[in-house]
Amino acid sequence: AQTVTQSQPEMSVQEAETVTLSCTYDTSESDYYLFWYKQPPSRQMILVIRQEAYKQQNATENRFSVNFQKAAKSFSLKISDSQLGDAAMYFCAYKMPTSGTYKYIFGTGTRLKVLA
Amino acid sequence: DGGITQSPKYLFRKEGQNVTLSCEQNLNHDAMYWYRQDPGQGLRLIYYSQIVNDFQKGDIAEGYSVSREKKESFPLTVTSAQKNPTAFYLCASSISYRTYEQYFGPGTRLTVT
């Protein structure tokens, strides 16, 4: 069965600095999607970035980028120039794209604190 | 504005009572989902619906029920059979169950005493 592990329950970063959140997953599949979701204090889940497993190039979205290591089954999120608004819970998630596989598998989350 | 609405934001019930959580979307999405979130845990899937008049159990369906009579609506009933119903409940939708991106509602915090 697929699993997603986030080993850092909490991280802190100074404003304007860079932080990396870790995520590892376990799957026997070769084709899948990986995601990072942000959940701010409002608790609304917001998609930050996604990565298709067949793409070798790491995804980037403005200040957010990933380091996708398929062989190592690692999918870390790097936040550059951290801002106070980045403070939130961050969830790593996995999804298979094939038919009949309907669900995401979420990690337990990492709480990011941004220090002014 | 297109999106997903969940109401109410906070809900309180006495033990032994059934309670229904509302989820409405105007995104014209076929698929809808219900997740439960507990402290220190990721989201866990309760039920999902790929299309109107169809729904399937997720990983933790016991004590819950759903209906999907309209494309826009996917209400979740937490029954008295749910042993630990106090939690944060999130509804989501996607264009279809095969697409990768899910859009989430703002959630409902249910407290049962």
Side-chain angles (χ1 to χ4, degrees), chain B residues 27-76:
Chain B
L27 299 167
N28 200 33
H29 286 175
D30 282 329
M32 297 187 74
Y33 312 81
W34 274 106
Y35 291 92
R36 172 180 171 136
Q37 185 178 21
D38 294 286
Q41 299 193 36
L43 278 64
R44 293 182 291 167
L45 184 67
I46 305 172
Y47 267 98
Y48 71 102
S49 169
Q50 299 176 11
I51 200 166
V52 176
N53 294 321
D54 174 77
F55 51 84
Q56 305 294 330
K57 293 182 179 180
D59 298 320
I60 55 166
E62 185 176 348
Y64 299 98
S65 66
V66 294
S67 63
R68 187 86 187 277
E69 297 175 0
K70 297 187 299 182
K71 188 175 187 177
E72 314 82 61
S73 178
F74 191 41
L76 173 74

mmCIF file of all heavy atoms in Angstrom, chain B residues 27-76:
data_model
loop_
_atom_site.group_PDB
_atom_site.id
_atom_site.type_symbol
_atom_site.label_atom_id
_atom_site.label_comp_id
_atom_site.label_asym_id
_atom_site.label_seq_id
_atom_site.Cartn_x
_atom_site.Cartn_y
_atom_site.Cartn_z
ATOM 1 N N LEU B 27 -18.730 24.558 -9.435
ATOM 2 C CA LEU B 27 -17.629 24.424 -10.376
ATOM 3 C C LEU B 27 -17.960 23.470 -11.520
ATOM 4 O O LEU B 27 -17.135 23.244 -12.403
ATOM 5 C CB LEU B 27 -16.382 23.910 -9.628
ATOM 6 C CG LEU B 27 -15.881 24.817 -8.508
ATOM 7 C CD1 LEU B 27 -14.866 24.085 -7.633
ATOM 8 C CD2 LEU B 27 -15.281 26.089 -9.087
ATOM 9 N N ASN B 28 -19.151 22.893 -11.472
ATOM 10 C CA ASN B 28 -19.571 21.909 -12.466
ATOM 11 C C ASN B 28 -18.681 20.668 -12.449
ATOM 12 O O ASN B 28 -18.471 20.024 -13.489
ATOM 13 C CB ASN B 28 -19.611 22.513 -13.884
ATOM 14 C CG ASN B 28 -20.498 21.685 -14.819
ATOM 15 O OD1 ASN B 28 -21.496 21.103 -14.394
ATOM 16 N ND2 ASN B 28 -20.129 21.639 -16.081
ATOM 17 N N HIS B 29 -18.165 20.340 -11.276
ATOM 18 C CA HIS B 29 -17.323 19.158 -11.131
ATOM 19 C C HIS B 29 -18.176 17.906 -10.968
ATOM 20 O O HIS B 29 -19.194 17.915 -10.276
ATOM 21 C CB HIS B 29 -16.409 19.314 -9.910
ATOM 22 C CG HIS B 29 -15.291 20.277 -10.139
ATOM 23 N ND1 HIS B 29 -14.417 20.650 -9.137
ATOM 24 C CD2 HIS B 29 -14.894 20.938 -11.248
ATOM 25 C CE1 HIS B 29 -13.528 21.491 -9.631
ATOM 26 N NE2 HIS B 29 -13.801 21.689 -10.912
ATOM 27 N N ASP B 30 -17.703 16.824 -11.570
ATOM 28 C CA ASP B 30 -18.411 15.554 -11.429
ATOM 29 C C ASP B 30 -18.119 14.881 -10.086
ATOM 30 O O ASP B 30 -18.983 14.264 -9.493
ATOM 31 C CB ASP B 30 -18.005 14.586 -12.552
ATOM 32 C CG ASP B 30 -18.704 14.907 -13.868
ATOM 33 O OD1 ASP B 30 -19.841 15.400 -13.834
ATOM 34 O OD2 ASP B 30 -18.110 14.662 -14.930
ATOM 35 N N ALA B 31 -16.887 14.937 -9.645
ATOM 36 C CA ALA B 31 -16.466 14.167 -8.470
ATOM 37 C C ALA B 31 -16.442 15.034 -7.215
ATOM 38 O O ALA B 31 -16.046 16.200 -7.254
ATOM 39 C CB ALA B 31 -15.080 13.575 -8.704
ATOM 40 N N MET B 32 -16.876 14.448 -6.127
ATOM 41 C CA MET B 32 -16.844 15.134 -4.830
ATOM 42 C C MET B 32 -16.377 14.166 -3.755
ATOM 43 O O MET B 32 -16.547 12.940 -3.886
ATOM 44 C CB MET B 32 -18.219 15.710 -4.493
ATOM 45 C CG MET B 32 -18.677 16.773 -5.486
ATOM 46 S SD MET B 32 -20.201 17.606 -5.022
ATOM 47 C CE MET B 32 -19.624 18.685 -3.692
ATOM 48 N N TYR B 33 -15.791 14.739 -2.697
ATOM 49 C CA TYR B 33 -15.134 13.928 -1.671
ATOM 50 C C TYR B 33 -15.412 14.509 -0.297
ATOM 51 O O TYR B 33 -15.560 15.718 -0.144
ATOM 52 C CB TYR B 33 -13.611 13.938 -1.880
ATOM 53 C CG TYR B 33 -13.160 13.656 -3.298
ATOM 54 C CD1 TYR B 33 -13.165 14.661 -4.260
ATOM 55 C CD2 TYR B 33 -12.707 12.393 -3.670
ATOM 56 C CE1 TYR B 33 -12.740 14.419 -5.559
ATOM 57 C CE2 TYR B 33 -12.277 12.138 -4.964
ATOM 58 C CZ TYR B 33 -12.306 13.158 -5.903
ATOM 59 O OH TYR B 33 -11.885 12.901 -7.189
ATOM 60 N N TRP B 34 -15.400 13.647 0.701
ATOM 61 C CA TRP B 34 -15.417 14.074 2.099
ATOM 62 C C TRP B 34 -14.201 13.496 2.812
ATOM 63 O O TRP B 34 -13.931 12.290 2.737
ATOM 64 C CB TRP B 34 -16.685 13.602 2.812
ATOM 65 C CG TRP B 34 -17.842 14.516 2.671
ATOM 66 C CD1 TRP B 34 -18.955 14.349 1.897
ATOM 67 C CD2 TRP B 34 -18.025 15.773 3.345
ATOM 68 N NE1 TRP B 34 -19.804 15.413 2.045
ATOM 69 C CE2 TRP B 34 -19.258 16.299 2.925
ATOM 70 C CE3 TRP B 34 -17.262 16.503 4.272
ATOM 71 C CZ2 TRP B 34 -19.758 17.512 3.389
ATOM 72 C CZ3 TRP B 34 -17.753 17.706 4.721
ATOM 73 C CH2 TRP B 34 -18.990 18.200 4.282
ATOM 74 N N TYR B 35 -13.501 14.413 3.519
ATOM 75 C CA TYR B 35 -12.345 14.024 4.312
ATOM 76 C C TYR B 35 -12.574 14.402 5.770
ATOM 77 O O TYR B 35 -13.253 15.373 6.090
ATOM 78 C CB TYR B 35 -11.081 14.753 3.844
ATOM 79 C CG TYR B 35 -10.573 14.344 2.486
ATOM 80 C CD1 TYR B 35 -10.972 15.028 1.340
ATOM 81 C CD2 TYR B 35 -9.671 13.289 2.354
ATOM 82 C CE1 TYR B 35 -10.485 14.665 0.094
ATOM 83 C CE2 TYR B 35 -9.179 12.926 1.110
ATOM 84 C CZ TYR B 35 -9.594 13.616 -0.013
ATOM 85 O OH TYR B 35 -9.104 13.250 -1.246
ATOM 86 N N ARG B 36 -11.911 13.661 6.616
ATOM 87 C CA ARG B 36 -11.881 13.981 8.037
ATOM 88 C C ARG B 36 -10.435 14.308 8.409
ATOM 89 O O ARG B 36 -9.498 13.631 7.962
ATOM 90 C CB ARG B 36 -12.373 12.781 8.844
ATOM 91 C CG ARG B 36 -12.194 12.929 10.341
ATOM 92 C CD ARG B 36 -12.686 11.719 11.083
ATOM 93 N NE ARG B 36 -12.303 11.801 12.481
ATOM 94 C CZ ARG B 36 -13.106 11.511 13.499
ATOM 95 N NH1 ARG B 36 -14.337 11.067 13.275
ATOM 96 N NH2 ARG B 36 -12.673 11.624 14.739
ATOM 97 N N GLN B 37 -10.277 15.361 9.232
ATOM 98 C CA GLN B 37 -8.943 15.745 9.684
ATOM 99 C C GLN B 37 -8.916 15.794 11.201
ATOM 100 O O GLN B 37 -9.724 16.489 11.825
ATOM 101 C CB GLN B 37 -8.547 17.116 9.104
ATOM 102 C CG GLN B 37 -7.122 17.507 9.436
ATOM 103 C CD GLN B 37 -6.719 18.828 8.814
ATOM 104 O OE1 GLN B 37 -7.546 19.648 8.451
ATOM 105 N NE2 GLN B 37 -5.422 19.048 8.683
ATOM 106 N N ASP B 38 -8.002 15.049 11.775
ATOM 107 C CA ASP B 38 -7.785 15.039 13.218
ATOM 108 C C ASP B 38 -6.385 15.575 13.517
ATOM 109 O O ASP B 38 -5.482 15.455 12.681
ATOM 110 C CB ASP B 38 -7.918 13.612 13.769
ATOM 111 C CG ASP B 38 -9.332 13.094 13.640
ATOM 112 O OD1 ASP B 38 -10.190 13.539 14.422
ATOM 113 O OD2 ASP B 38 -9.590 12.259 12.744
ATOM 114 N N PRO B 39 -6.182 16.128 14.716
ATOM 115 C CA PRO B 39 -4.856 16.667 15.066
ATOM 116 C C PRO B 39 -3.764 15.620 14.913
ATOM 117 O O PRO B 39 -3.916 14.475 15.336
ATOM 118 C CB PRO B 39 -5.041 17.083 16.535
ATOM 119 C CG PRO B 39 -6.503 17.333 16.680
ATOM 120 C CD PRO B 39 -7.175 16.338 15.795
ATOM 121 N N GLY B 40 -2.666 16.018 14.289
ATOM 122 C CA GLY B 40 -1.531 15.119 14.127
ATOM 123 C C GLY B 40 -1.694 14.081 13.044
ATOM 124 O O GLY B 40 -0.826 13.220 12.874
ATOM 125 N N GLN B 41 -2.798 14.165 12.320
ATOM 126 C CA GLN B 41 -3.026 13.195 11.246
ATOM 127 C C GLN B 41 -3.286 13.930 9.950
ATOM 128 O O GLN B 41 -3.748 15.064 9.939
ATOM 129 C CB GLN B 41 -4.219 12.299 11.579
ATOM 130 C CG GLN B 41 -4.048 11.471 12.841
ATOM 131 C CD GLN B 41 -5.097 10.390 12.950
ATOM 132 O OE1 GLN B 41 -5.504 9.803 11.947
ATOM 133 N NE2 GLN B 41 -5.546 10.115 14.159
ATOM 134 N N GLY B 42 -3.012 13.248 8.878
ATOM 135 C CA GLY B 42 -3.370 13.798 7.581
ATOM 136 C C GLY B 42 -4.854 13.634 7.329
ATOM 137 O O GLY B 42 -5.603 13.164 8.185
ATOM 138 N N LEU B 43 -5.267 14.024 6.152
ATOM 139 C CA LEU B 43 -6.674 13.883 5.793
ATOM 140 C C LEU B 43 -6.982 12.420 5.487
ATOM 141 O O LEU B 43 -6.204 11.743 4.817
ATOM 142 C CB LEU B 43 -6.991 14.737 4.562
ATOM 143 C CG LEU B 43 -7.252 16.218 4.798
ATOM 144 C CD1 LEU B 43 -6.028 16.931 5.329
ATOM 145 C CD2 LEU B 43 -7.748 16.874 3.529
ATOM 146 N N ARG B 44 -8.139 11.980 5.946
ATOM 147 C CA ARG B 44 -8.564 10.621 5.670
ATOM 148 C C ARG B 44 -9.902 10.651 4.936
ATOM 149 O O ARG B 44 -10.810 11.378 5.331
ATOM 150 C CB ARG B 44 -8.674 9.822 6.963
ATOM 151 C CG ARG B 44 -7.326 9.581 7.648
ATOM 152 C CD ARG B 44 -7.488 8.738 8.899
ATOM 153 N NE ARG B 44 -8.189 9.464 9.953
ATOM 154 C CZ ARG B 44 -8.668 8.884 11.041
ATOM 155 N NH1 ARG B 44 -8.554 7.574 11.217
ATOM 156 N NH2 ARG B 44 -9.267 9.617 11.964
ATOM 157 N N LEU B 45 -10.018 9.845 3.917
ATOM 158 C CA LEU B 45 -11.190 9.867 3.043
ATOM 159 C C LEU B 45 -12.342 9.105 3.660
ATOM 160 O O LEU B 45 -12.203 7.942 4.046
ATOM 161 C CB LEU B 45 -10.832 9.266 1.685
ATOM 162 C CG LEU B 45 -11.921 9.311 0.619
ATOM 163 C CD1 LEU B 45 -12.208 10.751 0.204
ATOM 164 C CD2 LEU B 45 -11.504 8.488 -0.590
ATOM 165 N N ILE B 46 -13.508 9.761 3.722
ATOM 166 C CA ILE B 46 -14.700 9.139 4.289
ATOM 167 C C ILE B 46 -15.549 8.521 3.176
ATOM 168 O O ILE B 46 -15.852 7.330 3.187
ATOM 169 C CB ILE B 46 -15.539 10.168 5.062
ATOM 170 C CG1 ILE B 46 -14.697 10.860 6.133
ATOM 171 C CG2 ILE B 46 -16.752 9.485 5.698
ATOM 172 C CD1 ILE B 46 -15.406 12.027 6.817
ATOM 173 N N TYR B 47 -15.957 9.339 2.242
ATOM 174 C CA TYR B 47 -16.760 8.912 1.089
ATOM 175 C C TYR B 47 -16.350 9.730 -0.116
ATOM 176 O O TYR B 47 -15.836 10.841 0.010
ATOM 177 C CB TYR B 47 -18.255 9.164 1.342
ATOM 178 C CG TYR B 47 -19.024 8.012 1.929
ATOM 179 C CD1 TYR B 47 -19.270 7.957 3.303
ATOM 180 C CD2 TYR B 47 -19.531 6.995 1.127
ATOM 181 C CE1 TYR B 47 -19.992 6.906 3.856
ATOM 182 C CE2 TYR B 47 -20.249 5.937 1.684
ATOM 183 C CZ TYR B 47 -20.473 5.909 3.044
ATOM 184 O OH TYR B 47 -21.194 4.872 3.598
ATOM 185 N N TYR B 48 -16.608 9.186 -1.283
ATOM 186 C CA TYR B 48 -16.431 9.949 -2.497
ATOM 187 C C TYR B 48 -17.526 9.601 -3.485
ATOM 188 O O TYR B 48 -18.151 8.532 -3.399
ATOM 189 C CB TYR B 48 -15.046 9.723 -3.110
ATOM 190 C CG TYR B 48 -14.830 8.366 -3.715
ATOM 191 C CD1 TYR B 48 -14.879 8.180 -5.087
ATOM 192 C CD2 TYR B 48 -14.552 7.268 -2.908
ATOM 193 C CE1 TYR B 48 -14.675 6.926 -5.652
ATOM 194 C CE2 TYR B 48 -14.356 6.018 -3.450
ATOM 195 C CZ TYR B 48 -14.405 5.847 -4.827
ATOM 196 O OH TYR B 48 -14.195 4.607 -5.368
ATOM 197 N N SER B 49 -17.746 10.512 -4.415
ATOM 198 C CA SER B 49 -18.771 10.322 -5.438
ATOM 199 C C SER B 49 -18.180 10.699 -6.785
ATOM 200 O O SER B 49 -17.676 11.803 -6.961
ATOM 201 C CB SER B 49 -19.990 11.204 -5.135
ATOM 202 O OG SER B 49 -20.873 11.232 -6.235
ATOM 203 N N GLN B 50 -18.238 9.789 -7.710
ATOM 204 C CA GLN B 50 -17.679 10.057 -9.035
ATOM 205 C C GLN B 50 -18.679 10.772 -9.935
ATOM 206 O O GLN B 50 -18.286 11.458 -10.880
ATOM 207 C CB GLN B 50 -17.257 8.740 -9.694
ATOM 208 C CG GLN B 50 -16.183 7.994 -8.928
ATOM 209 C CD GLN B 50 -15.858 6.660 -9.552
ATOM 210 O OE1 GLN B 50 -16.273 6.353 -10.656
ATOM 211 N NE2 GLN B 50 -15.096 5.843 -8.840
ATOM 212 N N ILE B 51 -19.971 10.579 -9.636
ATOM 213 C CA ILE B 51 -21.004 11.136 -10.496
ATOM 214 C C ILE B 51 -22.308 11.146 -9.719
ATOM 215 O O ILE B 51 -22.433 10.479 -8.674
ATOM 216 C CB ILE B 51 -21.121 10.294 -11.786
ATOM 217 C CG1 ILE B 51 -21.794 11.067 -12.901
ATOM 218 C CG2 ILE B 51 -21.797 8.971 -11.503
ATOM 219 C CD1 ILE B 51 -21.631 10.421 -14.257
ATOM 220 N N VAL B 52 -23.260 11.882 -10.203
ATOM 221 C CA VAL B 52 -24.558 11.971 -9.523
ATOM 222 C C VAL B 52 -25.164 10.578 -9.332
ATOM 223 O O VAL B 52 -25.040 9.712 -10.197
ATOM 224 C CB VAL B 52 -25.517 12.866 -10.333
ATOM 225 C CG1 VAL B 52 -26.906 12.888 -9.701
ATOM 226 C CG2 VAL B 52 -24.973 14.280 -10.421
ATOM 227 N N ASN B 53 -25.789 10.400 -8.174
ATOM 228 C CA ASN B 53 -26.461 9.147 -7.811
ATOM 229 C C ASN B 53 -25.512 7.975 -7.633
ATOM 230 O O ASN B 53 -25.943 6.809 -7.661
ATOM 231 C CB ASN B 53 -27.557 8.782 -8.831
ATOM 232 C CG ASN B 53 -28.705 9.767 -8.825
ATOM 233 O OD1 ASN B 53 -29.120 10.237 -7.763
ATOM 234 N ND2 ASN B 53 -29.199 10.105 -9.997
ATOM 235 N N ASP B 54 -24.257 8.277 -7.445
ATOM 236 C CA ASP B 54 -23.267 7.233 -7.189
ATOM 237 C C ASP B 54 -22.316 7.705 -6.105
ATOM 238 O O ASP B 54 -21.896 8.869 -6.102
ATOM 239 C CB ASP B 54 -22.467 6.921 -8.457
ATOM 240 C CG ASP B 54 -21.336 5.945 -8.171
ATOM 241 O OD1 ASP B 54 -21.612 4.731 -8.026
ATOM 242 O OD2 ASP B 54 -20.170 6.394 -8.062
ATOM 243 N N PHE B 55 -21.984 6.830 -5.172
ATOM 244 C CA PHE B 55 -20.969 7.160 -4.177
ATOM 245 C C PHE B 55 -20.355 5.871 -3.644
ATOM 246 O O PHE B 55 -20.966 4.798 -3.711
ATOM 247 C CB PHE B 55 -21.535 8.010 -3.030
ATOM 248 C CG PHE B 55 -22.783 7.469 -2.398
ATOM 249 C CD1 PHE B 55 -22.722 6.504 -1.403
ATOM 250 C CD2 PHE B 55 -24.031 7.949 -2.781
ATOM 251 C CE1 PHE B 55 -23.879 6.017 -0.810
ATOM 252 C CE2 PHE B 55 -25.191 7.471 -2.190
ATOM 253 C CZ PHE B 55 -25.110 6.499 -1.205
ATOM 254 N N GLN B 56 -19.145 6.008 -3.142
ATOM 255 C CA GLN B 56 -18.380 4.857 -2.676
ATOM 256 C C GLN B 56 -17.773 5.147 -1.310
ATOM 257 O O GLN B 56 -17.430 6.294 -1.005
ATOM 258 C CB GLN B 56 -17.243 4.532 -3.647
ATOM 259 C CG GLN B 56 -17.684 4.314 -5.089
ATOM 260 C CD GLN B 56 -18.544 3.081 -5.257
ATOM 261 O OE1 GLN B 56 -18.388 2.114 -4.525
ATOM 262 N NE2 GLN B 56 -19.451 3.126 -6.221
ATOM 263 N N LYS B 57 -17.592 4.110 -0.524
ATOM 264 C CA LYS B 57 -16.947 4.261 0.772
ATOM 265 C C LYS B 57 -15.449 4.510 0.600
ATOM 266 O O LYS B 57 -14.805 3.943 -0.261
ATOM 267 C CB LYS B 57 -17.147 3.010 1.615
ATOM 268 C CG LYS B 57 -18.592 2.773 2.036
ATOM 269 C CD LYS B 57 -18.701 1.532 2.908
ATOM 270 C CE LYS B 57 -20.142 1.312 3.350
ATOM 271 N NZ LYS B 57 -20.267 0.106 4.204
ATOM 272 N N GLY B 58 -14.950 5.368 1.471
ATOM 273 C CA GLY B 58 -13.515 5.576 1.548
ATOM 274 C C GLY B 58 -12.914 4.714 2.638
ATOM 275 O O GLY B 58 -13.401 3.632 2.937
ATOM 276 N N ASP B 59 -11.882 5.226 3.280
ATOM 277 C CA ASP B 59 -11.153 4.436 4.263
ATOM 278 C C ASP B 59 -11.824 4.369 5.636
ATOM 279 O O ASP B 59 -11.610 3.435 6.395
ATOM 280 C CB ASP B 59 -9.742 5.020 4.446
ATOM 281 C CG ASP B 59 -8.945 4.964 3.163
ATOM 282 O OD1 ASP B 59 -9.054 3.941 2.447
ATOM 283 O OD2 ASP B 59 -8.230 5.934 2.872
ATOM 284 N N ILE B 60 -12.648 5.379 5.952
ATOM 285 C CA ILE B 60 -13.221 5.437 7.309
ATOM 286 C C ILE B 60 -14.712 5.744 7.248
ATOM 287 O O ILE B 60 -15.216 6.637 7.895
ATOM 288 C CB ILE B 60 -12.476 6.479 8.174
ATOM 289 C CG1 ILE B 60 -12.473 7.858 7.491
ATOM 290 C CG2 ILE B 60 -11.050 6.052 8.458
ATOM 291 C CD1 ILE B 60 -12.054 8.993 8.416
ATOM 292 N N ALA B 61 -15.463 4.987 6.468
ATOM 293 C CA ALA B 61 -16.877 5.273 6.219
ATOM 294 C C ALA B 61 -17.816 4.877 7.367
ATOM 295 O O ALA B 61 -18.955 5.340 7.414
ATOM 296 C CB ALA B 61 -17.315 4.581 4.942
ATOM 297 N N GLU B 62 -17.362 4.057 8.275
ATOM 298 C CA GLU B 62 -18.258 3.570 9.329
ATOM 299 C C GLU B 62 -18.796 4.714 10.179
ATOM 300 O O GLU B 62 -18.040 5.540 10.684
ATOM 301 C CB GLU B 62 -17.530 2.567 10.225
ATOM 302 C CG GLU B 62 -18.431 1.923 11.258
ATOM 303 C CD GLU B 62 -17.709 0.861 12.080
ATOM 304 O OE1 GLU B 62 -16.581 0.473 11.697
ATOM 305 O OE2 GLU B 62 -18.269 0.420 13.085
ATOM 306 N N GLY B 63 -20.132 4.750 10.321
ATOM 307 C CA GLY B 63 -20.757 5.790 11.116
ATOM 308 C C GLY B 63 -21.115 7.040 10.329
ATOM 309 O O GLY B 63 -21.616 8.005 10.899
ATOM 310 N N TYR B 64 -20.871 7.008 9.037
ATOM 311 C CA TYR B 64 -21.190 8.132 8.156
ATOM 312 C C TYR B 64 -22.094 7.666 7.023
ATOM 313 O O TYR B 64 -22.086 6.504 6.653
ATOM 314 C CB TYR B 64 -19.922 8.723 7.542
ATOM 315 C CG TYR B 64 -18.918 9.269 8.516
ATOM 316 C CD1 TYR B 64 -17.820 8.504 8.911
ATOM 317 C CD2 TYR B 64 -19.037 10.555 9.039
ATOM 318 C CE1 TYR B 64 -16.886 8.993 9.794
ATOM 319 C CE2 TYR B 64 -18.101 11.062 9.919
ATOM 320 C CZ TYR B 64 -17.030 10.274 10.291
ATOM 321 O OH TYR B 64 -16.097 10.768 11.171
ATOM 322 N N SER B 65 -22.855 8.611 6.470
ATOM 323 C CA SER B 65 -23.627 8.324 5.262
ATOM 324 C C SER B 65 -23.644 9.569 4.388
ATOM 325 O O SER B 65 -23.444 10.690 4.874
ATOM 326 C CB SER B 65 -25.061 7.886 5.599
ATOM 327 O OG SER B 65 -25.778 8.946 6.194
ATOM 328 N N VAL B 66 -23.852 9.369 3.087
ATOM 329 C CA VAL B 66 -23.875 10.488 2.139
ATOM 330 C C VAL B 66 -24.998 10.273 1.133
ATOM 331 O O VAL B 66 -25.589 9.189 1.046
ATOM 332 C CB VAL B 66 -22.540 10.622 1.376
ATOM 333 C CG1 VAL B 66 -21.395 11.013 2.298
ATOM 334 C CG2 VAL B 66 -22.221 9.339 0.611
ATOM 335 N N SER B 67 -25.263 11.302 0.369
ATOM 336 C CA SER B 67 -26.170 11.213 -0.773
ATOM 337 C C SER B 67 -25.624 12.117 -1.864
ATOM 338 O O SER B 67 -24.885 13.063 -1.599
ATOM 339 C CB SER B 67 -27.595 11.619 -0.401
ATOM 340 O OG SER B 67 -27.627 12.979 0.003
ATOM 341 N N ARG B 68 -25.981 11.824 -3.090
ATOM 342 C CA ARG B 68 -25.544 12.666 -4.219
ATOM 343 C C ARG B 68 -26.697 12.714 -5.217
ATOM 344 O O ARG B 68 -26.673 12.130 -6.291
ATOM 345 C CB ARG B 68 -24.291 12.079 -4.882
ATOM 346 C CG ARG B 68 -23.722 13.011 -5.941
ATOM 347 C CD ARG B 68 -22.810 14.036 -5.423
ATOM 348 N NE ARG B 68 -22.390 15.018 -6.399
ATOM 349 C CZ ARG B 68 -21.397 14.859 -7.265
ATOM 350 N NH1 ARG B 68 -20.735 13.710 -7.320
ATOM 351 N NH2 ARG B 68 -21.066 15.834 -8.086
ATOM 352 N N GLU B 69 -27.728 13.461 -4.848
ATOM 353 C CA GLU B 69 -28.923 13.581 -5.690
ATOM 354 C C GLU B 69 -28.770 14.675 -6.732
ATOM 355 O O GLU B 69 -29.455 14.668 -7.759
ATOM 356 C CB GLU B 69 -30.143 13.828 -4.809
ATOM 357 C CG GLU B 69 -30.432 12.678 -3.849
ATOM 358 C CD GLU B 69 -31.577 12.990 -2.902
ATOM 359 O OE1 GLU B 69 -32.142 14.105 -2.997
ATOM 360 O OE2 GLU B 69 -31.905 12.132 -2.067
ATOM 361 N N LYS B 70 -27.889 15.619 -6.470
ATOM 362 C CA LYS B 70 -27.626 16.699 -7.410
ATOM 363 C C LYS B 70 -26.123 16.820 -7.621
ATOM 364 O O LYS B 70 -25.330 16.552 -6.708
ATOM 365 C CB LYS B 70 -28.177 18.026 -6.869
ATOM 366 C CG LYS B 70 -29.660 18.057 -6.688
ATOM 367 C CD LYS B 70 -30.126 19.469 -6.305
ATOM 368 C CE LYS B 70 -29.514 19.926 -5.005
ATOM 369 N NZ LYS B 70 -30.010 21.288 -4.619
ATOM 370 N N LYS B 71 -25.747 17.270 -8.774
ATOM 371 C CA LYS B 71 -24.325 17.400 -9.094
ATOM 372 C C LYS B 71 -23.632 18.368 -8.143
ATOM 373 O O LYS B 71 -22.483 18.186 -7.777
ATOM 374 C CB LYS B 71 -24.162 17.882 -10.531
ATOM 375 C CG LYS B 71 -22.743 17.871 -11.053
ATOM 376 C CD LYS B 71 -22.719 18.243 -12.530
ATOM 377 C CE LYS B 71 -21.320 18.074 -13.103
ATOM 378 N NZ LYS B 71 -21.300 18.358 -14.557
ATOM 379 N N GLU B 72 -24.352 19.415 -7.737
ATOM 380 C CA GLU B 72 -23.741 20.474 -6.941
ATOM 381 C C GLU B 72 -23.618 20.137 -5.460
ATOM 382 O O GLU B 72 -22.931 20.822 -4.729
ATOM 383 C CB GLU B 72 -24.568 21.753 -7.050
ATOM 384 C CG GLU B 72 -25.003 22.148 -8.446
ATOM 385 C CD GLU B 72 -26.235 21.385 -8.882
ATOM 386 O OE1 GLU B 72 -27.288 21.510 -8.220
ATOM 387 O OE2 GLU B 72 -26.139 20.645 -9.879
ATOM 388 N N SER B 73 -24.308 19.110 -5.001
ATOM 389 C CA SER B 73 -24.447 18.918 -3.569
ATOM 390 C C SER B 73 -24.032 17.529 -3.128
ATOM 391 O O SER B 73 -24.412 16.526 -3.766
ATOM 392 C CB SER B 73 -25.906 19.177 -3.175
ATOM 393 O OG SER B 73 -26.110 18.958 -1.809
ATOM 394 N N PHE B 74 -23.322 17.461 -2.004
ATOM 395 C CA PHE B 74 -22.840 16.169 -1.499
ATOM 396 C C PHE B 74 -22.873 16.222 0.037
ATOM 397 O O PHE B 74 -21.828 16.300 0.691
ATOM 398 C CB PHE B 74 -21.431 15.907 -2.017
ATOM 399 C CG PHE B 74 -20.901 14.520 -1.790
ATOM 400 C CD1 PHE B 74 -21.695 13.392 -1.958
ATOM 401 C CD2 PHE B 74 -19.571 14.325 -1.426
ATOM 402 C CE1 PHE B 74 -21.195 12.113 -1.770
ATOM 403 C CE2 PHE B 74 -19.048 13.045 -1.239
ATOM 404 C CZ PHE B 74 -19.866 11.950 -1.408
ATOM 405 N N PRO B 75 -24.022 16.171 0.646
ATOM 406 C CA PRO B 75 -24.101 16.272 2.106
ATOM 407 C C PRO B 75 -23.609 15.014 2.820
ATOM 408 O O PRO B 75 -23.797 13.900 2.327
ATOM 409 C CB PRO B 75 -25.600 16.493 2.358
ATOM 410 C CG PRO B 75 -26.275 15.906 1.163
ATOM 411 C CD PRO B 75 -25.339 16.099 0.016
ATOM 412 N N LEU B 76 -23.006 15.238 3.969
ATOM 413 C CA LEU B 76 -22.479 14.156 4.799
ATOM 414 C C LEU B 76 -23.255 14.105 6.110
ATOM 415 O O LEU B 76 -23.365 15.127 6.793
ATOM 416 C CB LEU B 76 -21.001 14.397 5.103
ATOM 417 C CG LEU B 76 -20.333 13.440 6.102
ATOM 418 C CD1 LEU B 76 -20.093 12.078 5.466
ATOM 419 C CD2 LEU B 76 -19.004 14.021 6.618
#
